[in-house]
Amino acid sequence: NAGVTQTPKFRILKIGQSMTLQCAQDMNHNYMYWYRQDPGMGLKLIYYSVGAGITDKGEVPNGYNVSRSTTEDFPLRLELAAPSQTSVYFCASSYEGSTEAFFGQGTRLTVV
Amino acid sequence: QKEVEQNSGPLSVPEGAIASLNCTYSDRGSQSFFWYRQYSGKSPELIMFIYSNGDKEDGRFTAQLNKASQYVSLLIRDSQPSDSATYLCAVNTGGFKTIFGAGTRLFVKA
């Protein structure tokens, strides 16, 4: 099983550019999440989804958008990239909201 | 008060010793508690989960939960250099909402 797959692993963006971080899971999990992790910090929830067609904001949603058209895929869109969005982004999925989360390998994003 | 608090460390222990990692949380209604291990540059991976008061053991790892004191801990017996990592405490406060602590860096000296 591939588990949770994120692409790309690394990316450098210029200020004002846009990009989409891809995330796919093959475990048939209903719950999917996007977190960001700044150096020395814990994970902050950006957006989450409890199933196809259902998304909602987490703690730090500003500057991001998501969609969930299928159970498997949960892309994260960055519009008008800013230096404050320099971070490591993790996608995760879980069977239920209160159970173990499985994480992708992360995307290291630098905005210059 | 932060929702999930951990000592950032680093916690340094000699090889073979017991490492004790602590976490406190603010939401008394929290039901699920997790410990994730994160190696530098890697993604978090689950070490232990615990739902009920008391101890839960899995190999060299023991998770301890005290809901009255809003405290959860992770003990690592016979610590190995390969245990050197950041340990994230995570608390589910209901539904989707799992809050992560900032993590404790553990360093096991050979």
Side-chain angles (χ1 to χ4, degrees):
Chain A
N1 275 346
V4 180
T5 303
Q6 285 182 242
T7 56
K9 291 185 179 179
F10 302 95
R11 184 71 185 268
I12 298 175
L13 278 182
K14 293 184 178 179
I15 294 171
Q17 286 185 321
S18 301
M19 76 165 294
T20 299
L21 281 65
Q22 300 292 343
C23 176
Q25 54 94 7
D26 62 0
M27 295 174 283
N28 203 33
H29 285 165
N30 285 323
Y31 283 74
M32 294 189 74
Y33 316 84
W34 275 105
Y35 291 95
R36 60 177 286 173
Q37 186 176 36
D38 298 325
M41 305 294 288
L43 301 166
K44 297 292 186 184
L45 183 64
I46 304 171
Y47 270 94
Y48 71 99
S49 169
V50 301
I54 306 170
T55 63
D56 208 345
K57 297 177 181 179
E59 301 170 81
V60 290
N62 291 345
Y64 307 96
N65 274 300
V66 294
S67 60
R68 184 98 181 267
S69 58
T70 67
T71 299
E72 294 78 18
D73 299 300
F74 190 41
L76 177 72
R77 178 80 176 164
L78 278 73
E79 304 281 1
L80 299 175
S84 61
Q85 294 178 303
T86 294
S87 190
V88 179
Y89 292 82
F90 288 104
C91 178
S93 72
S94 66
Y95 178 66
E96 294 179 346
S98 60
T99 57
E100 172 191 4
F102 294 84
F103 287 83
Q105 65 267 54
T107 296
R108 186 173 296 275
L109 175 68
T110 302
V111 182
V112 296
Chain B
Q1 181 187 7
K2 292 182 181 177
E3 293 183 84
V4 178
E5 287 205 68
Q6 296 181 254
N7 188 321
S8 63
L11 173 66
S12 184
V13 300
E15 183 175 1
I18 296 175
S20 178
L21 305 164
N22 305 315
C23 173
T24 58
Y25 60 94
S26 61
D27 189 332
R28 284 195 169 274
S30 301
Q31 295 295 319
S32 309
F33 307 86
F34 307 88
W35 283 100
Y36 288 85
R37 178 177 63 199
Q38 186 176 26
Y39 291 114
S40 180
K42 301 295 185 181
S43 57
E45 57 178 343
L46 185 74
I47 297 295
M48 295 282 291
F49 65 88
I50 186 166
Y51 300 143
S52 304
N53 274 330
D55 295 358
K56 179 181 179 183
E57 187 174 318
D58 184 1
R60 296 186 297 112
F61 299 96
T62 299
Q64 299 175 317
L65 175 62
N66 184 326
K67 289 187 177 181
S69 299
Q70 295 173 247
Y71 175 92
V72 58
S73 65
L74 178 70
L75 300 178
I76 306 175
R77 290 181 299 281
D78 189 23
S79 295
Q80 301 297 309
S82 58
D83 295 325
S84 298
T86 296
Y87 289 81
L88 302 171
C89 173
V91 176
N92 181 266
T93 59
F96 73 93
K97 195 175 181 183
T98 296
I99 307 297
F100 285 79
T104 298
R105 287 178 294 151
L106 172 66
F107 179 60
V108 181
K109 298 176 292 184

Short mmCIF file of all heavy atoms in Angstrom, two decimals, chain A residues 53-92:
data_model
loop_
_atom_site.label_atom_id
_atom_site.label_comp_id
_atom_site.label_asym_id
_atom_site.label_seq_id
_atom_site.Cartn_x
_atom_site.Cartn_y
_atom_site.Cartn_z
N GLY A 53 -16.65 16.10 -1.21
CA GLY A 53 -17.56 17.23 -1.31
C GLY A 53 -17.72 18.05 -0.05
O GLY A 53 -18.43 19.06 -0.04
N ILE A 54 -17.03 17.65 1.04
CA ILE A 54 -17.18 18.34 2.32
C ILE A 54 -15.82 18.78 2.82
O ILE A 54 -14.94 17.94 3.07
CB ILE A 54 -17.82 17.43 3.38
CG1 ILE A 54 -19.14 16.85 2.87
CG2 ILE A 54 -18.04 18.20 4.69
CD1 ILE A 54 -19.71 15.76 3.76
N THR A 55 -15.63 20.09 2.95
CA THR A 55 -14.37 20.62 3.48
C THR A 55 -14.68 21.71 4.49
O THR A 55 -15.77 22.31 4.45
CB THR A 55 -13.47 21.20 2.37
OG1 THR A 55 -14.14 22.31 1.75
CG2 THR A 55 -13.15 20.15 1.32
N ASP A 56 -13.73 21.99 5.35
CA ASP A 56 -13.92 23.06 6.32
C ASP A 56 -12.57 23.59 6.77
O ASP A 56 -11.54 22.92 6.62
CB ASP A 56 -14.75 22.60 7.52
CG ASP A 56 -15.52 23.74 8.16
OD1 ASP A 56 -15.22 24.93 7.86
OD2 ASP A 56 -16.43 23.46 8.96
N LYS A 57 -12.62 24.80 7.33
CA LYS A 57 -11.39 25.47 7.75
C LYS A 57 -10.88 24.91 9.06
O LYS A 57 -11.65 24.53 9.93
CB LYS A 57 -11.66 26.97 7.90
CG LYS A 57 -12.05 27.67 6.61
CD LYS A 57 -12.39 29.13 6.88
CE LYS A 57 -12.80 29.82 5.58
NZ LYS A 57 -13.15 31.25 5.81
N GLY A 58 -9.55 24.93 9.18
CA GLY A 58 -8.90 24.59 10.42
C GLY A 58 -8.46 25.85 11.15
O GLY A 58 -9.13 26.87 11.10
N GLU A 59 -7.29 25.78 11.79
CA GLU A 59 -6.80 26.91 12.60
C GLU A 59 -6.22 28.04 11.76
O GLU A 59 -6.31 29.21 12.13
CB GLU A 59 -5.70 26.42 13.54
CG GLU A 59 -6.08 25.32 14.51
CD GLU A 59 -4.85 24.77 15.21
OE1 GLU A 59 -4.39 25.40 16.17
OE2 GLU A 59 -4.33 23.71 14.75
N VAL A 60 -5.56 27.70 10.63
CA VAL A 60 -4.81 28.69 9.86
C VAL A 60 -5.15 28.61 8.37
O VAL A 60 -4.29 28.33 7.54
CB VAL A 60 -3.28 28.52 10.11
CG1 VAL A 60 -2.91 28.94 11.51
CG2 VAL A 60 -2.85 27.08 9.84
N PRO A 61 -6.40 28.88 7.97
CA PRO A 61 -6.81 28.68 6.57
C PRO A 61 -6.48 29.83 5.61
O PRO A 61 -6.53 29.63 4.39
CB PRO A 61 -8.32 28.55 6.70
CG PRO A 61 -8.65 29.44 7.86
CD PRO A 61 -7.50 29.29 8.83
N ASN A 62 -6.13 31.00 6.15
CA ASN A 62 -5.96 32.17 5.27
C ASN A 62 -4.85 31.97 4.26
O ASN A 62 -3.72 31.61 4.62
CB ASN A 62 -5.70 33.42 6.11
CG ASN A 62 -6.93 33.84 6.90
OD1 ASN A 62 -8.03 33.39 6.62
ND2 ASN A 62 -6.72 34.67 7.89
N GLY A 63 -5.15 32.23 3.00
CA GLY A 63 -4.17 32.10 1.93
C GLY A 63 -4.20 30.75 1.24
O GLY A 63 -3.40 30.52 0.33
N TYR A 64 -5.10 29.88 1.66
CA TYR A 64 -5.18 28.52 1.13
C TYR A 64 -6.62 28.20 0.72
O TYR A 64 -7.56 28.78 1.23
CB TYR A 64 -4.75 27.50 2.17
CG TYR A 64 -3.41 27.76 2.80
CD1 TYR A 64 -3.32 28.43 4.02
CD2 TYR A 64 -2.22 27.31 2.21
CE1 TYR A 64 -2.09 28.67 4.62
CE2 TYR A 64 -1.00 27.54 2.80
CZ TYR A 64 -0.94 28.22 4.00
OH TYR A 64 0.28 28.46 4.60
N ASN A 65 -6.73 27.24 -0.20
CA ASN A 65 -8.03 26.70 -0.56
C ASN A 65 -7.87 25.20 -0.81
O ASN A 65 -6.79 24.74 -1.18
CB ASN A 65 -8.60 27.37 -1.81
CG ASN A 65 -9.34 28.64 -1.47
OD1 ASN A 65 -10.31 28.61 -0.72
ND2 ASN A 65 -8.88 29.75 -2.00
N VAL A 66 -8.96 24.47 -0.62
CA VAL A 66 -8.94 23.03 -0.85
C VAL A 66 -10.19 22.61 -1.62
O VAL A 66 -11.16 23.37 -1.72
CB VAL A 66 -8.89 22.22 0.46
CG1 VAL A 66 -7.57 22.44 1.18
CG2 VAL A 66 -10.07 22.56 1.35
N SER A 67 -10.14 21.41 -2.13
CA SER A 67 -11.31 20.78 -2.73
C SER A 67 -11.23 19.28 -2.45
O SER A 67 -10.14 18.75 -2.20
CB SER A 67 -11.36 21.05 -4.24
OG SER A 67 -10.19 20.54 -4.87
N ARG A 68 -12.34 18.61 -2.48
CA ARG A 68 -12.36 17.16 -2.26
C ARG A 68 -13.43 16.57 -3.17
O ARG A 68 -14.57 16.37 -2.79
CB ARG A 68 -12.68 16.85 -0.79
CG ARG A 68 -12.62 15.35 -0.46
CD ARG A 68 -11.34 14.94 0.16
NE ARG A 68 -11.27 13.52 0.44
CZ ARG A 68 -11.62 12.97 1.62
NH1 ARG A 68 -12.09 13.73 2.59
NH2 ARG A 68 -11.49 11.69 1.80
N SER A 69 -13.05 16.31 -4.39
CA SER A 69 -14.00 15.77 -5.37
C SER A 69 -14.11 14.26 -5.29
O SER A 69 -15.12 13.68 -5.72
CB SER A 69 -13.62 16.21 -6.78
OG SER A 69 -12.30 15.77 -7.09
N THR A 70 -13.09 13.59 -4.76
CA THR A 70 -13.10 12.15 -4.60
C THR A 70 -12.65 11.79 -3.19
O THR A 70 -12.03 12.62 -2.50
CB THR A 70 -12.17 11.45 -5.60
OG1 THR A 70 -10.81 11.79 -5.29
CG2 THR A 70 -12.49 11.84 -7.04
N THR A 71 -12.89 10.56 -2.76
CA THR A 71 -12.41 10.12 -1.45
C THR A 71 -10.89 10.12 -1.40
O THR A 71 -10.30 10.39 -0.37
CB THR A 71 -12.93 8.70 -1.16
OG1 THR A 71 -14.36 8.72 -1.14
CG2 THR A 71 -12.42 8.18 0.17
N GLU A 72 -10.25 9.84 -2.55
CA GLU A 72 -8.81 9.63 -2.56
C GLU A 72 -7.98 10.92 -2.54
O GLU A 72 -6.89 10.96 -2.00
CB GLU A 72 -8.40 8.83 -3.80
CG GLU A 72 -8.92 7.40 -3.83
CD GLU A 72 -10.39 7.30 -4.22
OE1 GLU A 72 -10.93 8.27 -4.81
OE2 GLU A 72 -11.00 6.25 -3.93
N ASP A 73 -8.48 11.98 -3.16
CA ASP A 73 -7.64 13.15 -3.42
C ASP A 73 -8.07 14.38 -2.63
O ASP A 73 -9.26 14.66 -2.50
CB ASP A 73 -7.67 13.49 -4.92
CG ASP A 73 -7.14 12.34 -5.76
OD1 ASP A 73 -5.98 11.97 -5.56
OD2 ASP A 73 -7.90 11.82 -6.60
N PHE A 74 -7.08 15.13 -2.17
CA PHE A 74 -7.36 16.32 -1.36
C PHE A 74 -6.27 17.36 -1.65
O PHE A 74 -5.35 17.54 -0.87
CB PHE A 74 -7.38 15.93 0.12
CG PHE A 74 -7.89 17.00 1.05
CD1 PHE A 74 -8.99 17.79 0.72
CD2 PHE A 74 -7.29 17.19 2.29
CE1 PHE A 74 -9.46 18.74 1.60
CE2 PHE A 74 -7.77 18.16 3.17
CZ PHE A 74 -8.86 18.93 2.82
N PRO A 75 -6.36 18.06 -2.77
CA PRO A 75 -5.31 19.03 -3.11
C PRO A 75 -5.45 20.32 -2.31
O PRO A 75 -6.55 20.74 -1.95
CB PRO A 75 -5.56 19.28 -4.61
CG PRO A 75 -7.01 18.95 -4.81
CD PRO A 75 -7.35 17.87 -3.83
N LEU A 76 -4.31 20.95 -2.07
CA LEU A 76 -4.25 22.23 -1.35
C LEU A 76 -3.73 23.28 -2.32
O LEU A 76 -2.66 23.13 -2.90
CB LEU A 76 -3.30 22.13 -0.15
CG LEU A 76 -3.08 23.42 0.65
CD1 LEU A 76 -4.33 23.76 1.46
CD2 LEU A 76 -1.88 23.25 1.59
N ARG A 77 -4.47 24.35 -2.46
CA ARG A 77 -4.12 25.43 -3.40
C ARG A 77 -3.61 26.63 -2.64
O ARG A 77 -4.25 27.08 -1.67
CB ARG A 77 -5.36 25.81 -4.21
CG ARG A 77 -5.16 26.94 -5.19
CD ARG A 77 -4.51 26.48 -6.46
NE ARG A 77 -4.39 27.55 -7.45
CZ ARG A 77 -3.60 27.50 -8.51
NH1 ARG A 77 -2.86 26.44 -8.73
NH2 ARG A 77 -3.56 28.52 -9.35
N LEU A 78 -2.44 27.13 -3.05
CA LEU A 78 -1.91 28.38 -2.52
C LEU A 78 -2.07 29.45 -3.58
O LEU A 78 -1.58 29.29 -4.71
CB LEU A 78 -0.43 28.27 -2.18
CG LEU A 78 -0.02 27.64 -0.86
CD1 LEU A 78 -0.23 26.14 -0.91
CD2 LEU A 78 1.42 27.97 -0.53
N GLU A 79 -2.76 30.50 -3.26
CA GLU A 79 -2.93 31.63 -4.17
C GLU A 79 -2.08 32.78 -3.66
O GLU A 79 -2.05 33.04 -2.47
CB GLU A 79 -4.39 32.07 -4.20
CG GLU A 79 -5.38 30.99 -4.58
CD GLU A 79 -5.42 30.72 -6.09
OE1 GLU A 79 -4.66 31.36 -6.84
OE2 GLU A 79 -6.22 29.86 -6.50
N LEU A 80 -1.37 33.45 -4.56
CA LEU A 80 -0.59 34.64 -4.19
C LEU A 80 0.35 34.33 -3.04
O LEU A 80 0.19 34.84 -1.93
CB LEU A 80 -1.52 35.80 -3.82
CG LEU A 80 -2.47 36.28 -4.92
CD1 LEU A 80 -3.42 37.34 -4.40
CD2 LEU A 80 -1.65 36.80 -6.11
N ALA A 81 1.32 33.46 -3.30
CA ALA A 81 2.23 33.00 -2.26
C ALA A 81 2.93 34.16 -1.55
O ALA A 81 3.33 35.15 -2.18
CB ALA A 81 3.27 32.06 -2.86
N ALA A 82 3.08 34.01 -0.23
CA ALA A 82 3.75 35.01 0.61
C ALA A 82 4.85 34.32 1.41
O ALA A 82 4.77 33.12 1.68
CB ALA A 82 2.74 35.66 1.54
N PRO A 83 5.89 35.08 1.80
CA PRO A 83 6.98 34.47 2.59
C PRO A 83 6.50 33.78 3.85
O PRO A 83 7.11 32.79 4.30
CB PRO A 83 7.87 35.68 2.93
CG PRO A 83 7.65 36.63 1.80
CD PRO A 83 6.19 36.49 1.44
N SER A 84 5.39 34.24 4.43
CA SER A 84 4.84 33.63 5.65
C SER A 84 4.34 32.21 5.40
O SER A 84 4.07 31.46 6.35
CB SER A 84 3.69 34.48 6.20
OG SER A 84 2.65 34.57 5.25
N GLN A 85 4.19 31.83 4.13
CA GLN A 85 3.76 30.48 3.80
C GLN A 85 4.92 29.51 3.62
O GLN A 85 4.71 28.33 3.32
CB GLN A 85 2.87 30.50 2.55
CG GLN A 85 1.57 31.23 2.79
CD GLN A 85 0.70 31.30 1.55
OE1 GLN A 85 1.14 31.81 0.51
NE2 GLN A 85 -0.53 30.83 1.64
N THR A 86 6.14 30.00 3.83
CA THR A 86 7.30 29.11 3.86
C THR A 86 7.15 28.17 5.03
O THR A 86 7.03 28.60 6.18
CB THR A 86 8.60 29.92 3.98
OG1 THR A 86 8.79 30.69 2.79
CG2 THR A 86 9.79 29.01 4.19
N SER A 87 7.11 26.87 4.75
CA SER A 87 6.83 25.89 5.79
C SER A 87 6.95 24.48 5.20
O SER A 87 7.21 24.32 4.00
CB SER A 87 5.41 26.10 6.35
OG SER A 87 5.18 25.32 7.50
N VAL A 88 6.78 23.49 6.06
CA VAL A 88 6.64 22.11 5.60
C VAL A 88 5.16 21.75 5.71
O VAL A 88 4.54 21.95 6.77
CB VAL A 88 7.49 21.15 6.42
CG1 VAL A 88 7.29 19.72 5.91
CG2 VAL A 88 8.96 21.53 6.34
N TYR A 89 4.62 21.25 4.63
CA TYR A 89 3.19 20.92 4.57
C TYR A 89 3.01 19.40 4.59
O TYR A 89 3.64 18.68 3.83
CB TYR A 89 2.56 21.50 3.31
CG TYR A 89 2.51 23.00 3.34
CD1 TYR A 89 3.62 23.78 3.00
CD2 TYR A 89 1.35 23.67 3.77
CE1 TYR A 89 3.58 25.16 3.05
CE2 TYR A 89 1.30 25.05 3.83
CZ TYR A 89 2.43 25.79 3.47
OH TYR A 89 2.39 27.16 3.54
N PHE A 90 2.14 18.96 5.49
CA PHE A 90 1.84 17.54 5.59
C PHE A 90 0.36 17.31 5.31
O PHE A 90 -0.51 17.99 5.87
CB PHE A 90 2.14 17.01 6.99
CG PHE A 90 3.60 16.90 7.29
CD1 PHE A 90 4.22 17.83 8.11
CD2 PHE A 90 4.36 15.85 6.78
CE1 PHE A 90 5.57 17.73 8.41
CE2 PHE A 90 5.71 15.74 7.06
CZ PHE A 90 6.32 16.69 7.88
N CYS A 91 0.11 16.34 4.48
CA CYS A 91 -1.24 15.83 4.28
C CYS A 91 -1.39 14.58 5.13
O CYS A 91 -0.42 13.82 5.30
CB CYS A 91 -1.45 15.51 2.80
SG CYS A 91 -3.06 14.82 2.41
N ALA A 92 -2.56 14.36 5.68
CA ALA A 92 -2.79 13.19 6.50
C ALA A 92 -4.21 12.68 6.27
O ALA A 92 -5.09 13.42 5.78
CB ALA A 92 -2.58 13.50 7.98
#
